[in-house]
């Protein structure tokens, strides 16, 4: 994600606008929001909504109230109220769209219950904020060493310092419940700050860290996907995908979220298909379904004693056979209902402008060569006659 004026510089920081992820368009960040009401004015006698959406590290967002009516715009760095101390974040949305976002996320619209924005961050606040942001990789590495020394089965995936440096949040993943009481004591002794542990799922971990998927694009969970719906292997079965865990798993080790994107379309198309375990009763024997083609609406059946011979039938023909079987009748054979595809017409190349072969000028025509040869012979004969007469 990045605006048109940005490119990757040293240490992964964007360059171009040289705002290092805090540009006014907010295009360098994940989960950005476009304020499509920014160029519209409010009606008369309508006070602007004082709620503000503020983004923190890795797309974490919270809502705050602008109690002092500060002139805020997208991209402003602000100091916000936390317990204890204050934190530093970037404004991502202001105005009436904040009310819409709060309704969507089922937040309380009473702004008195939300923390407030203290002020726009001054240079001292920003310098302190950057200082602690630079300490996060070293803190994460040291915290992992402490957890390994305590033989805790957990993975500390990310560390986030508060803007004033009074508290640090450690995000971790674990298969089972972890007793980290001793870990908190050791971390507080090592870093001298207040420690908060927060467990996240494997999908949330991938969303925080980001990465490139097998499709070659950035992970959906780290760019635009906010709700993580459950993904089951039945989603792959409905779409006729191979149940290969290595191909179906994403960066988080779980099934890919994109398996659900086209699932509704497949389910809608499968309503016209008989069940895959349908048995067709024929006079030659019982036939079982071997394969289906959802896009072409075709099914392949084979007799129980002839598993290698498949017969291609359309869904309408299969329904006809099922109706006959329900009446107690057996059809003669599957061969009578085989679907024959029409051969595709081959479009041969035709000259659109009446041209002939592309190599028509490479070799001269035979008639031209004969004329030249005759002319050459006549010239030779004329020269001979002139020499004799001389």
């Amino acid at each position: 994600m990045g605006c048109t004026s940005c490119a990757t510089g040293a240490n992964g920081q964007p360059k171009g606008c040289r705002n290092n992820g805090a540009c006014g368009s907010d295009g360098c960040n994940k989960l950005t929001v476009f304020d499509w009401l920014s160029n519209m004015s409010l009606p008369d006698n309508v006070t602007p909504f004082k709620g503000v959406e503020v983004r923190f590290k890795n797309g974490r967002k919270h809502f705050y109230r602008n109690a002092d009516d500060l002139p805020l715009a997208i991209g402003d760095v602000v100091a916000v109220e936390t317990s204890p101390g204050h934190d530093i974040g970037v404004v991502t949305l202001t105005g009436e769209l904040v009310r819409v976002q709060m309704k969507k996320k089922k937040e309380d619209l009473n702004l008195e219950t939300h923390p407030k924005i203290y002020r726009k961050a001054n240079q001292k606040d920003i310098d302190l904020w950057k200082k602690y942001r630079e300490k996060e990789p070293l803190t994460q590495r040291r915290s992992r060493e402490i957890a390994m020394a305590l033989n805790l089965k957990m993975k500390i995936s990310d560390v986030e310092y508060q803007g004033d440096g009074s508290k640090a949040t450690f995000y971790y993943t674990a298969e089972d419940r972890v007793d980290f009481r001793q870990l908190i004591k050791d971390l507080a002794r090592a870093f001298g700050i207040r420690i908060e542990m927060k467990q996240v799922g494997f999908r949330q971990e991938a969303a925080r860290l980001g990465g490139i998927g097998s499709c070659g694009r950035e992970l959906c969970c780290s760019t635009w996907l906010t709700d993580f719906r459950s993904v089951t292997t039945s989603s792959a079965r409905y779409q006729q995908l191979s149940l290969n865990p290595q191909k179906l798993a994403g960066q988080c080790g779980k099934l890919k979220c994109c398996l659900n994107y086209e699932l509704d379309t497949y389910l809608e198309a499968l309503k016209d298909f008989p069940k895959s375990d349908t048995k067709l009763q024929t006079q030659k024997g019982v036939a079982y379904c071997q394969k289906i083609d959802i896009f072409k609406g075709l099914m392949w059946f084979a007799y129980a004693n002839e598993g290698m011979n498949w017969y291609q039938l359309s869904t309408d023909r299969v329904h006809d056979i099922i109706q006959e079987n329900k009446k107690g009748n057996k059809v003669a054979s599957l061969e009578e209902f085989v679907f024959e595809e029409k051969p595709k017409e081959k479009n041969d190349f035709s000259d659109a402008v009446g041209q002939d072969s592309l190599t028509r000028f490479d070799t001269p025509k035979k008639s031209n060569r004969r004329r030249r040869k005759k002319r050459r012979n006549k010239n030779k004969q004329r020269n001979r006659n002139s020499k004799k007469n001389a």
Side-chain angles (χ1 to χ4, degrees):
M1 299 288 289
C3 56
T4 55
S5 61
C6 286
T8 304
N11 300 324
Q13 292 182 342
K15 65 178 183 179
C17 61
R18 301 189 182 279
N19 283 311
N20 295 330
C23 57
S25 64
D26 200 43
C28 303
N29 308 310
K30 296 183 294 186
L31 304 176
T32 57
V33 181
F34 175 68
D35 187 3
W36 51 274
L37 292 177
S38 58
N39 59 345
M40 300 178 66
S41 59
L42 291 173
D44 297 336
N45 301 324
V46 176
T47 58
F49 189 66
K50 294 186 178 182
V52 179
E53 185 186 66
V54 181
R55 177 187 58 81
F56 300 93
K57 183 182 178 182
N58 290 331
R60 180 174 64 90
K61 294 181 179 180
H62 294 292
F63 297 100
Y64 296 87
R65 57 187 172 94
N66 187 6
D68 298 331
D69 295 331
L70 300 174
L72 299 177
I74 293 176
D76 289 342
V77 183
V78 293
V80 298
E81 178 186 1
T82 56
S83 179
H86 69 274
D87 202 355
I88 304 296
V90 180
V91 176
T92 56
L93 198 61
T94 60
E96 289 299 317
L97 283 184
V98 180
R99 191 198 307 269
V100 177
Q101 288 287 80
M102 294 178 70
K103 288 182 179 179
K104 181 180 178 181
K105 296 183 178 181
K106 298 181 180 180
E107 294 281 346
D108 189 5
L109 292 178
N110 184 13
L111 295 178
E112 297 299 326
T113 61
H114 293 272
K116 66 177 183 178
I117 296 177
Y118 286 138
R119 62 184 182 276
K120 284 188 178 181
N122 52 37
Q123 190 60 41
K124 182 179 179 181
D125 295 330
I126 296 176
D127 293 340
L128 190 64
W129 176 42
K130 289 183 178 180
K131 173 186 173 182
Y132 285 108
R133 285 291 296 269
E134 293 173 356
K135 291 177 60 177
E136 290 174 355
L138 297 176
T139 304
Q140 179 185 357
R141 191 179 305 115
R142 177 59 182 153
S143 63
R144 285 185 174 182
E145 294 175 355
I146 297 174
M148 291 174 64
L150 296 174
N151 294 323
L152 297 178
K153 295 182 179 179
M154 60 185 297
K155 175 188 175 184
I156 300 177
S157 59
D158 196 12
V159 178
E160 182 179 359
Y161 271 92
Q162 194 169 284
D164 57 356
S166 61
K167 186 181 74 171
T169 304
F170 292 78
Y171 297 90
Y172 73 95
T173 56
E175 294 286 350
D176 301 321
R177 189 169 182 174
V178 180
D179 184 7
F180 47 75
R181 288 176 293 183
Q182 184 61 37
L183 176 64
I184 292 178
K185 295 179 182 178
D186 294 345
L187 292 177
R189 190 181 305 111
F191 303 115
I193 55 176
R194 184 178 178 181
I195 304 299
E196 180 180 347
M197 304 295 296
K198 188 172 183 180
Q199 185 175 4
V200 295
F202 293 99
R203 296 182 189 275
Q204 286 78 8
E205 179 189 20
R208 290 185 64 84
L209 300 180
I212 303 297
S214 58
C215 57
R217 304 184 65 179
E218 290 186 69
L219 298 180
C220 299
C221 55
S222 63
T223 51
W224 62 271
L225 188 63
T226 56
D227 56 332
F228 299 97
R229 300 180 181 179
S230 60
V231 186
T232 59
T233 54
S234 60
S235 302
R237 291 192 182 97
Y238 285 130
Q239 300 176 58
Q240 308 296 313
L241 298 176
S242 175
L243 298 180
N244 187 347
Q246 295 180 349
K247 292 185 178 180
L248 297 181
Q251 296 280 6
C252 57
K254 305 295 182 181
L255 293 177
K256 294 179 181 178
C257 296
C258 55
L259 292 176
N260 283 341
Y261 294 169
E262 299 179 354
L263 180 59
D264 295 337
T265 305
Y266 276 89
L267 292 176
E268 186 71 24
L270 285 172
K271 289 181 179 180
D272 299 331
F273 279 78
K275 294 183 178 180
S276 58
D277 58 351
T278 301
K279 302 177 183 177
L280 301 183
Q281 303 292 335
T282 66
Q283 295 179 3
K284 293 183 63 175
V286 182
Y288 298 90
C289 180
Q290 304 293 329
K291 175 187 172 183
I292 65 174
D293 190 330
I294 300 176
F295 300 104
K296 294 183 179 180
L298 301 176
M299 302 181 70
W300 282 263
F301 283 84
Y303 294 111
N305 54 355
E306 298 179 5
M308 299 301 295
N309 295 328
W310 292 9
Y311 298 93
Q312 179 178 294
L313 283 73
S314 63
T315 54
D316 296 335
R317 293 297 184 93
V318 175
H319 283 297
D320 295 340
I321 298 175
I322 293 174
Q323 292 297 327
E324 291 295 328
N325 294 156
K326 288 182 179 180
K327 296 177 183 179
N329 302 328
K330 292 184 179 181
V331 298
S333 63
L334 295 178
E335 289 84 338
E336 298 180 357
F337 298 90
V338 171
F339 176 79
E340 296 181 358
E341 294 185 1
K342 296 181 180 179
K344 295 182 179 179
E345 297 181 358
K346 293 183 179 180
N347 295 327
D348 296 331
F349 174 78
S350 58
D351 295 322
V353 294
Q355 294 180 353
D356 295 326
S357 174
L358 295 176
T359 60
R360 62 188 183 278
F361 296 115
D362 294 348
T363 57
K365 295 182 180 180
K366 293 183 179 180
S367 58
N368 292 336
R369 274 189 280 179
R370 289 176 182 173
R371 291 173 184 170
R372 289 173 186 167
K373 192 174 181 180
K374 288 182 179 179
R375 193 178 298 119
R376 197 179 298 116
N377 293 335
K378 287 182 179 180
N379 292 334
K380 289 181 180 180
Q381 188 66 31
R382 191 176 297 119
N383 292 334
R384 290 173 186 170
N385 295 333
S386 61
K387 288 180 181 179
K388 288 180 181 181
N389 295 330

PDB file of all heavy atoms in Angstrom, residues 16 32 54 69 168 174 196:
ATOM      1  N   GLY A  16       9.764   9.585  -0.984  1.00  0.00           N
ATOM      2  CA  GLY A  16       9.027  10.266  -2.040  1.00  0.00           C
ATOM      3  C   GLY A  16       8.367  11.464  -1.419  1.00  0.00           C
ATOM      4  O   GLY A  16       8.797  12.601  -1.581  1.00  0.00           O
ATOM      5  N   THR A  32      -6.711   1.834   5.125  1.00  0.00           N
ATOM      6  CA  THR A  32      -6.996   3.264   4.993  1.00  0.00           C
ATOM      7  C   THR A  32      -8.472   3.484   4.689  1.00  0.00           C
ATOM      8  O   THR A  32      -9.171   2.601   4.201  1.00  0.00           O
ATOM      9  CB  THR A  32      -6.144   3.877   3.876  1.00  0.00           C
ATOM     10  OG1 THR A  32      -6.404   3.161   2.660  1.00  0.00           O
ATOM     11  CG2 THR A  32      -4.678   3.775   4.200  1.00  0.00           C
ATOM     12  N   VAL A  54      -8.546   7.331  15.184  1.00  0.00           N
ATOM     13  CA  VAL A  54      -7.093   7.444  15.285  1.00  0.00           C
ATOM     14  C   VAL A  54      -6.484   6.062  15.090  1.00  0.00           C
ATOM     15  O   VAL A  54      -6.961   5.073  15.676  1.00  0.00           O
ATOM     16  CB  VAL A  54      -6.669   8.032  16.649  1.00  0.00           C
ATOM     17  CG1 VAL A  54      -5.148   8.159  16.735  1.00  0.00           C
ATOM     18  CG2 VAL A  54      -7.322   9.388  16.870  1.00  0.00           C
ATOM     19  N   ASP A  69     -12.366  20.946  20.245  1.00  0.00           N
ATOM     20  CA  ASP A  69     -12.617  21.425  18.870  1.00  0.00           C
ATOM     21  C   ASP A  69     -11.327  21.794  18.151  1.00  0.00           C
ATOM     22  O   ASP A  69     -11.182  22.871  17.550  1.00  0.00           O
ATOM     23  CB  ASP A  69     -13.574  22.625  18.863  1.00  0.00           C
ATOM     24  CG  ASP A  69     -14.964  22.246  19.351  1.00  0.00           C
ATOM     25  OD1 ASP A  69     -15.342  21.073  19.162  1.00  0.00           O
ATOM     26  OD2 ASP A  69     -15.654  23.107  19.928  1.00  0.00           O
ATOM     27  N   ALA A 168       4.287  -1.113  27.507  1.00  0.00           N
ATOM     28  CA  ALA A 168       4.520  -1.852  26.268  1.00  0.00           C
ATOM     29  C   ALA A 168       3.560  -3.031  26.226  1.00  0.00           C
ATOM     30  O   ALA A 168       3.360  -3.725  27.239  1.00  0.00           O
ATOM     31  CB  ALA A 168       5.961  -2.340  26.171  1.00  0.00           C
ATOM     32  N   ALA A 174      -0.280 -18.726  20.916  1.00  0.00           N
ATOM     33  CA  ALA A 174      -0.004 -19.971  21.630  1.00  0.00           C
ATOM     34  C   ALA A 174      -1.117 -20.964  21.325  1.00  0.00           C
ATOM     35  O   ALA A 174      -2.282 -20.582  21.138  1.00  0.00           O
ATOM     36  CB  ALA A 174       0.107 -19.732  23.127  1.00  0.00           C
ATOM     37  N   GLU A 196       1.969  -5.373  29.403  1.00  0.00           N
ATOM     38  CA  GLU A 196       0.637  -5.893  29.118  1.00  0.00           C
ATOM     39  C   GLU A 196       0.764  -6.998  28.067  1.00  0.00           C
ATOM     40  O   GLU A 196       1.369  -6.792  27.011  1.00  0.00           O
ATOM     41  CB  GLU A 196      -0.287  -4.781  28.607  1.00  0.00           C
ATOM     42  CG  GLU A 196      -1.691  -5.265  28.291  1.00  0.00           C
ATOM     43  CD  GLU A 196      -2.604  -4.163  27.793  1.00  0.00           C
ATOM     44  OE1 GLU A 196      -2.225  -2.982  27.922  1.00  0.00           O
ATOM     45  OE2 GLU A 196      -3.687  -4.476  27.259  1.00  0.00           O
TER      46      GLU A 196
END
